[in-house]
Amino acid sequence: MYISDDQFLIGYADDHSIYSSFKPGDVSSEFESIRGLSSTLENVKLWMQFNRLKMNDEKSEFIVFGSNRQLPKCNTDVLSIGDTPVRRTHSVKLLGVYLDETLNLKHHISMKARASALVMFNLKKIRKYLDKSTCLKIANAMIFSHMDYCNGLFINLPASTLHPLQRIQITRLKLFSADQNMIVPPQH
């Protein structure tokens, strides 16, 4: 949804984001952008109150996206919604995807690898009670759902970034294959 020439709103159900841009290192551009965001957030909060809705100020957060060279030029660490301070964060979760400041997806991949590893850990504990077919179905449903969600974002990512997901796949193969002595291809 269009808000102004330098701001727009994207939302789904109760998850909304307001985007604005500024030139890194240009203090006045950054100040105007942050002031505009604060004003827009205050207007959204007033609209919600008028319509008997409540904005959860404590769950509100903001992030600045940029390159490793641009981010140190940004001075704002806090903006406000009325009297409530909103602290800058290094990562946000938007519709199930963790976005970090440099958009390198390392945090997202780390979180998905962690969730997959937890599923594998729990499956390993009950593996002896399941036949191979059932175990593979559970593993595919519960592990690959984490790994495949928004995997189109992984295109052109460096192998080092994708390594945690590859490690999960190899561990899954070793854990649930019939041949426990299988040869696994080398990791690059």
Side-chain angles (χ1 to χ4, degrees):
M1 176 165 99
Y2 174 82
I3 296 173
S4 67
D5 286 340
D6 61 344
Q7 289 184 359
F8 61 97
L9 176 101
I10 295 176
Y12 180 78
D14 65 345
D15 193 2
H16 291 77
S17 300
I18 300 173
Y19 296 88
S20 182
S21 63
F22 60 89
K23 288 183 176 182
D26 183 345
V27 178
S28 65
S29 171
E30 181 176 349
F31 175 78
E32 287 300 316
S33 181
I34 297 299
R35 188 171 61 85
L37 282 174
S38 292
S39 173
T40 300
L41 287 168
E42 187 61 34
N43 289 336
V44 168
K45 184 176 182 175
L46 290 172
W47 179 87
M48 290 179 81
Q49 288 172 346
F50 180 77
N51 289 285
R52 297 187 180 142
L53 300 169
K54 182 181 183 318
M55 177 186 283
N56 192 343
D57 298 344
E58 293 78 33
K59 286 180 70 178
S60 297
E61 54 191 0
F62 85 98
I63 188 168
V64 176
F65 296 110
S67 69
N68 286 326
R69 292 180 67 199
Q70 293 170 329
L71 289 171
K73 298 176 184 176
C74 301
N75 301 311
T76 306
D77 289 326
V78 177
L79 61 86
S80 61
I81 304 174
D83 296 332
T84 306
V86 178
R87 303 234 174 261
R88 180 174 164 183
T89 185
H90 299 288
S91 172
V92 294
K93 186 176 180 183
L94 181 62
L95 301 177
V97 177
Y98 293 91
L99 300 173
D100 53 75
E101 291 176 310
T102 59
L103 296 174
N104 64 20
L105 295 175
K106 286 181 180 179
H107 183 66
H108 176 74
I109 289 171
S110 169
M111 295 301 287
K112 294 304 173 182
R114 182 180 301 166
S116 298
L118 180 62
V119 169
M120 270 196 301
F121 174 77
N122 289 328
L123 267 176
K124 190 175 181 180
K125 290 195 289 188
I126 62 168
R127 172 68 177 98
K128 62 185 171 187
Y129 304 110
L130 303 171
D131 62 75
K132 180 183 175 186
S133 174
T134 303
C135 191
L136 283 172
K137 286 177 186 173
I138 293 171
N140 287 337
M142 296 186 74
I143 295 170
F144 289 123
S145 64
H146 288 290
M147 296 176 67
D148 285 346
Y149 184 71
C150 289
N151 66 2
L153 297 173
F154 302 161
I155 294 173
N156 294 327
L157 287 179
S160 60
T161 300
L162 295 172
H163 184 261
L165 294 179
Q166 184 182 20
R167 203 171 56 237
I168 293 291
Q169 289 176 327
I170 290 169
T171 304
R172 181 209 158 269
L173 284 172
K174 285 181 180 179
L175 203 68
F176 303 115
S177 73
D179 180 8
Q180 293 295 321
N181 297 317
M182 67 180 281
I183 299 172
V184 176
Q187 299 178 34
H188 300 283

